[in-house]
Amino acid sequence: MIESTYILSRAARATCRDGQIYLLLVAALLLCAGPLSAETTREPENMEVEERLGEYVPTDVELDDESGASIVLGDLFETNSQKPIIIVPSYYTCPRLCTYIFNAVQKAASEVQSSRGLEPGGDYLIVSVSFRPEDTPAIAREKAAKYRNLFQPPLKPEAWRFLTGKPEEVGRLMEALGYPYRPDGEEDYTHGAAIMMLAPDGKI
């Protein structure tokens, strides 16, 4: 893992209602700052997240939901009244960094929900996408249950999705997001900490 932290602040300002969902991203970043500083200091080469503000992701990317059913990224916008999507690149068996990110996103979303009335699923969506090919829908389902149940009341599945997919499809999405990752030669992956927001047309 590496401790690089990245947030698309200008895109968030441009696509969020009154800029308030932007605050959720900032809150998540700040909540991550402490744990990320505790990561090791090694900096693998060519692992910086590339900022691609204003570019578009391929909305025809096919992914799998927690039941194993195939979904298309663009359909998430279509079936959720064109809400913006917070994308959380991750993998569900990550032993350290991804857990910090999940915890920070959950805490930030809960705080913004209670302080500003912005509801996951109502005002925006959270979509975690695993880039580890071995992560199965069953693994995603277990992770989803843990984090949705931290909310009061628990989130509905459509509010925070935990998706997996074929390496070539996930790779297309991560490439468009400018998010690099690679096996570390052991059992884990080297990757950064990133939170992005997509407008309903797939614009970063």
Side-chain angles (χ1 to χ4, degrees), residues 80-98:
N80 289 280
S81 303
Q82 300 292 303
K83 297 179 178 66
I85 290 179
I86 295 174
I87 294 284
V88 185
S90 58
Y91 69 103
Y92 306 135
T93 53
C94 180
R96 184 165 49 180
L97 185 54
C98 295

Side-chain angles (χ1 to χ4, degrees), residues 171-194:
R172 284 206 296 143
L173 176 60
M174 297 303 168
E175 171 62 26
L177 292 170
Y179 183 85
Y181 57 94
R182 64 168 182 250
D184 66 1
E186 298 176 1
E187 297 181 357
D188 300 317
Y189 279 77
T190 297
H191 63 93

Side-chain angles (χ1 to χ4, degrees), residues 70-188:
S70 179
I71 64 172
V72 176
L73 182 62
D75 289 346
L76 296 180
F77 294 114
E78 294 293 333
T79 58
N80 289 280
S81 303
Q82 300 292 303
K83 297 179 178 66
I85 290 179
I86 295 174
I87 294 284
V88 185
S90 58
Y91 69 103
Y92 306 135
T93 53
C94 180
R96 184 165 49 180
L97 185 54
C98 295
T99 298
Y100 295 145
I101 298 299
F102 289 139
N103 290 347
V105 169
Q106 187 279 323
K107 185 173 182 180
S110 293
E111 291 183 355
V112 172
Q113 182 179 21
S114 62
S115 65
R116 297 180 179 271
L118 288 170
E119 300 280 346
D123 297 289
Y124 63 96
L125 310 178
I126 307 172
V127 176
S128 299
V129 180
S130 173
F131 50 77
R132 181 177 182 265
E134 295 81 6
D135 278 359
T136 63
I139 292 173
R141 190 161 57 246
E142 181 179 353
K143 184 68 70 172
K146 173 182 177 180
Y147 281 95
R148 290 184 193 134
N149 287 331
L150 292 176
F151 290 81
Q152 295 299 325
L155 291 184
K156 295 180 179 180
E158 60 268 23
W160 188 346
R161 299 269 193 151
F162 287 75
L163 306 178
T164 56
K166 296 178 180 178
E168 58 270 22
E169 290 294 289
V170 173
R172 284 206 296 143
L173 176 60
M174 297 303 168
E175 171 62 26
L177 292 170
Y179 183 85
Y181 57 94
R182 64 168 182 250
D184 66 1
E186 298 176 1
E187 297 181 357
D188 300 317

Side-chain angles (χ1 to χ4, degrees), residues 17-37:
R17 176 169 63 84
D18 299 326
Q20 291 188 47
I21 300 175
Y22 163 73
L23 298 176
L24 186 152
L25 298 177
V26 172
L29 178 65
L30 294 175
L31 288 167
C32 283
L36 291 179
S37 66

Side-chain angles (χ1 to χ4, degrees), residues 37-71:
S37 66
E39 290 287 297
T40 60
T41 57
R42 60 191 179 95
E43 288 282 358
E45 294 181 359
N46 303 318
M47 294 305 294
E48 295 82 8
V49 178
E50 181 180 349
E51 185 171 312
R52 294 186 176 175
L53 300 182
E55 297 185 25
Y56 291 82
V57 301
T59 55
D60 63 342
V61 167
E62 294 186 12
L63 300 166
D64 297 324
D65 68 15
E66 298 143 45
S67 71
S70 179
I71 64 172

